[in-house]
Amino acid sequence: MVPSVRSLKQFLLSPASFFDERPPAETLPVAAGIVVLFALCFVGSILLIGTMLAGSVDGTVTMDNPDRPPEQVCNTHGEMTGCDEPETIERDMGSMVQEAAHDVLWIGLVGPFVLWLVGGVVLFGAGRLANGDPSFAGSLALAGWAALPEFFRLAAGLGGLWFALEGMTITDPDRAATALESAVAPVQPVLLLASLVTLGWQWYLLTGGLTREAEISRAAAAVSVGVPLGLFGLFALL
């Protein structure tokens, strides 16, 4: 089932009505597609962040040569292969930043699916605790739909970082972290607001969805969704 423009508008304005016409469990394939798309965008965002950070640094870092054996080994076996290599080498800071971004790509690929599963379990348990009768498939579908607001937070984060890094060049590796914190500080309130809007949007759509899925009152659904979502939001903002 691919939502039409009308149904998407209904989803945005009145999630309860949207899920009244479409039981959450029946929308599981669409919800899964949203999670997959978000995971791909998350991976792309990590690569983009690496590129932006690499473009904001200029210089080299002196580090131990990984191709040279330890000094003690070379002193004992002076003819050992690699002992004629220099002890230290110069690495470009930009290349190192991009390599670091590549090393954490797995988080962008795996993280959304883990959170999707955890979210489904939490919604299922919350619905049962509220004396409702949700299905796990329906709860999992709702958790997948909750990934939709995350596109807004992701876009806001990328936009804020781009604005913070525009025209900035870091040449001292020892002060890179401090310089980055100072550059991002002015946009922190905007990023915080984006996170709060995202959480509010998720609470709104999950409340409407759980009301239909678990067949509980809107007040009970609001509390059942709000408590775990609030705790997650608080943990993420700390």
Side-chain angles (χ1 to χ4, degrees), residues 41-94:
C41 290
F42 198 8
V43 170
S45 297
I46 294 175
L47 292 173
L48 182 57
I49 290 172
T51 300
M52 287 192 291
L53 290 175
S56 298
V57 297
D58 182 21
T60 59
V61 177
T62 302
M63 60 183 298
D64 293 336
N65 188 351
D67 296 328
R68 191 180 194 278
E71 187 65 25
Q72 185 177 359
V73 174
C74 288
N75 289 337
T76 305
H77 308 283
E79 300 300 325
M80 185 175 181
T81 302
C83 287
D84 56 343
E85 295 285 341
E87 295 183 12
T88 60
I89 57 174
E90 296 290 325
R91 290 289 311 278
D92 179 68
M93 291 171 57

Side-chain angles (χ1 to χ4, degrees), residues 9-168:
K9 182 179 179 180
Q10 185 184 42
F11 171 78
L12 294 174
L13 298 179
S14 179
S17 299
F18 177 86
F19 289 115
D20 276 339
E21 298 180 9
R22 304 162 191 81
E26 295 182 6
T27 69
L28 183 56
V30 179
I34 294 174
V35 177
V36 171
L37 180 60
F38 178 72
L40 294 176
C41 290
F42 198 8
V43 170
S45 297
I46 294 175
L47 292 173
L48 182 57
I49 290 172
T51 300
M52 287 192 291
L53 290 175
S56 298
V57 297
D58 182 21
T60 59
V61 177
T62 302
M63 60 183 298
D64 293 336
N65 188 351
D67 296 328
R68 191 180 194 278
E71 187 65 25
Q72 185 177 359
V73 174
C74 288
N75 289 337
T76 305
H77 308 283
E79 300 300 325
M80 185 175 181
T81 302
C83 287
D84 56 343
E85 295 285 341
E87 295 183 12
T88 60
I89 57 174
E90 296 290 325
R91 290 289 311 278
D92 179 68
M93 291 171 57
S95 298
M96 294 179 66
V97 168
Q98 289 189 318
E99 288 176 6
H102 292 161
D103 289 340
V104 297
L105 283 180
W106 65 272
I107 296 177
L109 191 60
V110 176
F113 294 99
V114 173
L115 290 176
W116 179 32
L117 179 60
V118 172
V121 171
V122 170
L123 288 174
F124 179 77
R128 289 299 178 95
L129 288 175
N131 295 321
D133 187 29
S135 66
F136 183 69
S139 300
L140 196 62
L142 291 176
W145 281 101
L148 200 59
E150 291 294 342
F151 285 96
F152 169 74
R153 175 157 40 188
L154 189 62
L158 290 174
L161 184 61
W162 175 83
F163 179 82
L165 296 178
E166 186 180 16
M168 187 182 76

